[in-house]
Amino acid sequence: MTVMTQTEVPGARLWRRGKVRDVYEAGGDRLVIVASDRLSAFDVVLPTPIPDKGRVLTQLSSFWFERLAGIVPNHIVSTKLREFPPVFREVRELAGRAVLVKHCERIDVECVARGYLAGSAWSEYQKLGTVAEERLPRGLLQSEALPEPIFTPATKAVTGHDENISRAQLAALVGSELARELERVTLALYRAAHAYALGRGLILADTKFEFGFSDGRLTLIDEALTPDSSRYWDAARYRAGTTPPSFDKQYVRDFLVKSGWNREPPAPELPADVVEGTTQRYRECYKRIVGEELPA
Ligand SMILES: Nc1ncnc2c1ncn2[C@@H]1O[C@H](COP(=O)(O)OP(=O)(O)OP(=O)(O)O)[C@@H](O)[C@H]1O
Ligand SMILES: [Mg+2]
């Protein structure tokens, strides 16, 4: 097990530090993205890291990028530290938690696909009978499978919460041709990942992708199909009408809600059992999907 809260790479220029990832310039049109063990909940980074989380995010994403490369090209140049520029090779702790990628021109939209009625989609449906402003059949239960997977884009807010937008708003934002392409690719990725996960006993309820352009080509970027960007349920424990336990940060969120924290920074430290339980959930998600333990 390893822990890394924040990276230092002597001689490399930091491009940006996100909530979870530290991103470095890597020469030319390349970046090195390092997934730390930071965990953000309610948009606040917690003071307590989750051991192995960054390695799970990186290696699970890489697994999916490779698997889904036939649907859309992705940003990965190399996952092997020995193929990174020299300044990165020196920092051994980066192995397994960093990737060398193409620096893409990001499309500032979260491309969400949903196959089940959960989270903000369930809230909207209960109130209005719609999801992303589109009408759904009456009488669906919480967590129930939708008649068809749907595309529910959101803006990437610079600060604070991302905001759901309609497909019409997306078309106004990026043009109708690109909007259609984002929807088509997002749903194709979701369907393929959902089918694969189901074969491994997991239900992929919903997930979020980010895209950019590299040499004019639409490219999948950021992370893909991790517990941070997706809602996975254990198929064996799934029942419509309930909230199935998930492999995402729900466990931590439940603790934070119970703690009475007002959701303003700073967030409270996590107790050891919550940290351990969270590491275990991330590792379990990796194992279920990839079919083997996260490499040491
Ligand atoms: N290939 C790429 N080219 C350009 N930007 C990328 C690429 N891959 C990921 N990014 C961006 O790098 C950042 C990764 O950091 P992280 O996900 O921790 O940020 P964040 O705090 O979630 O912020 P954001 O709201 O921008 O996602 C994100 O802003 C992501 O959009
Ligand atoms: Mg992000």
Side-chain angles (χ1 to χ4, degrees), residues 175-214:
S176 50
E177 200 181 321
L178 179 55
R180 265 201 306 275
E181 183 66 356
L182 290 173
E183 172 164 353
R184 185 187 69 76
V185 174
T186 298
L187 290 175
L189 291 169
Y190 173 78
R191 284 178 196 279
H194 177 268
Y196 174 83
L198 208 53
R200 310 220 47 114
L202 292 179
I203 290 174
L204 176 64
D206 48 56
T207 193
K208 181 264 308 182
F209 299 107
E210 293 184 23
F211 296 93
F213 284 102
S214 169

Side-chain angles (χ1 to χ4, degrees), residues 25 27 37 43 87-88 152 194 202 207 211 219 226 256 281:
E25 292 178 5
D37 292 324
D43 281 328
V87 284
F88 297 98
T152 64
H194 177 268
L202 292 179
T207 193
F211 296 93
T219 305
T226 69
L256 291 170
R281 279 168 175 75

